[in-house]
Amino acid sequence: MPRVPFDSLPDSARIWTFGVQRDLAQEEEARLLAAVDGFLDQWTTHGTPLRGGRSWRYGRMLVVGVDEAAAPPSGCSIDALVHALQDLESAIDTRIVDNSMVWYRDPDGVRCDTRQAFRKRAQDGSVTPDTVVFDTTVIRLGELRRGHWEAPAGDRWHGRAFFRSSHGQG
């Protein structure tokens, strides 16, 4: 069985982050995670099993990792993961595969906004460079473990994109 506990993957493991755009009911969450586990149990690249795992964080964030040293994923195997998640979107009636959203934490929990909506929040001060964001461009598990995945907006690409004036940039 290629699926392994996420924490057993090495720092060099390749990761993908997928945010679920709404809170899920307990049975929806269980359905999502069971489907992801089932996919990971069968995940292969050109017939070779991939050594992968997943982590479910904050009830909204799915992180899938694969140990590339054991067997690197192909474009087709990555596409298969994305397609499996897209199929789940219909089953649980929410978006999972959407890299256009900005993910952040507010006092009520993990939230997402379009880039335009997040920019408006930055302009009105409801999010600041100190707002914790999730950097879905992080691709190595070691980066996630070292805190690069979840950090103040001013410390990630979000600072340059949404808070230029507060960083002295034109």
Side-chain angles (χ1 to χ4, degrees):
M1 172 165 41
R3 181 170 48 103
V4 298
F6 188 79
D7 291 338
S8 73
L9 292 170
D11 282 351
S12 61
R14 171 69 164 92
I15 61 169
W16 296 267
T17 301
F18 302 95
V20 176
Q21 290 189 5
R22 67 171 176 81
D23 291 327
L24 299 180
Q26 193 171 28
E27 58 276 358
E28 292 172 316
E29 183 177 305
R31 184 177 185 178
L32 168 71
L33 297 178
V36 170
D37 288 347
F39 175 83
L40 292 174
D41 286 339
Q42 304 300 317
W43 199 15
T44 63
T45 182
H46 304 294
T48 301
L50 289 170
R51 186 174 181 268
R54 59 98 178 143
S55 177
W56 179 241
R57 297 172 182 239
Y58 309 114
R60 297 284 292 274
M61 306 296 287
L62 174 68
V63 183
V64 175
V66 66
D67 182 357
E68 291 181 308
S74 65
C76 291
S77 62
I78 296 166
D79 287 347
L81 169 64
V82 170
H83 290 304
L85 293 173
Q86 288 172 328
D87 289 345
L88 283 168
E89 289 178 336
S90 303
I92 59 175
D93 192 30
T94 192
R95 294 294 308 262
I96 302 170
V97 180
D98 183 353
N99 61 7
S100 70
M101 303 301 282
V102 176
W103 292 89
Y104 62 98
R105 185 189 310 279
D106 74 8
D108 296 322
V110 174
R111 301 286 172 248
C112 65
D113 275 326
T114 64
R115 290 172 194 238
Q116 181 179 10
F118 192 83
R119 184 177 315 286
K120 286 181 183 175
R121 287 181 183 279
Q123 290 168 345
D124 73 19
S126 59
V127 295
T128 70
D130 294 324
T131 298
V132 173
V133 295
F134 297 90
D135 187 349
T136 59
T137 66
V138 167
I139 63 167
R140 295 288 166 211
L141 184 52
E143 291 178 277
L144 182 144
R145 289 175 173 152
R146 289 187 299 278
H148 295 281
W149 178 67
E150 182 178 355
D155 294 344
R156 306 308 306 149
W157 65 264
H158 306 73
R160 293 182 305 280
F162 300 109
F163 303 102
R164 285 185 226 180
S165 62
S166 63
H167 282 70
Q169 302 169 0

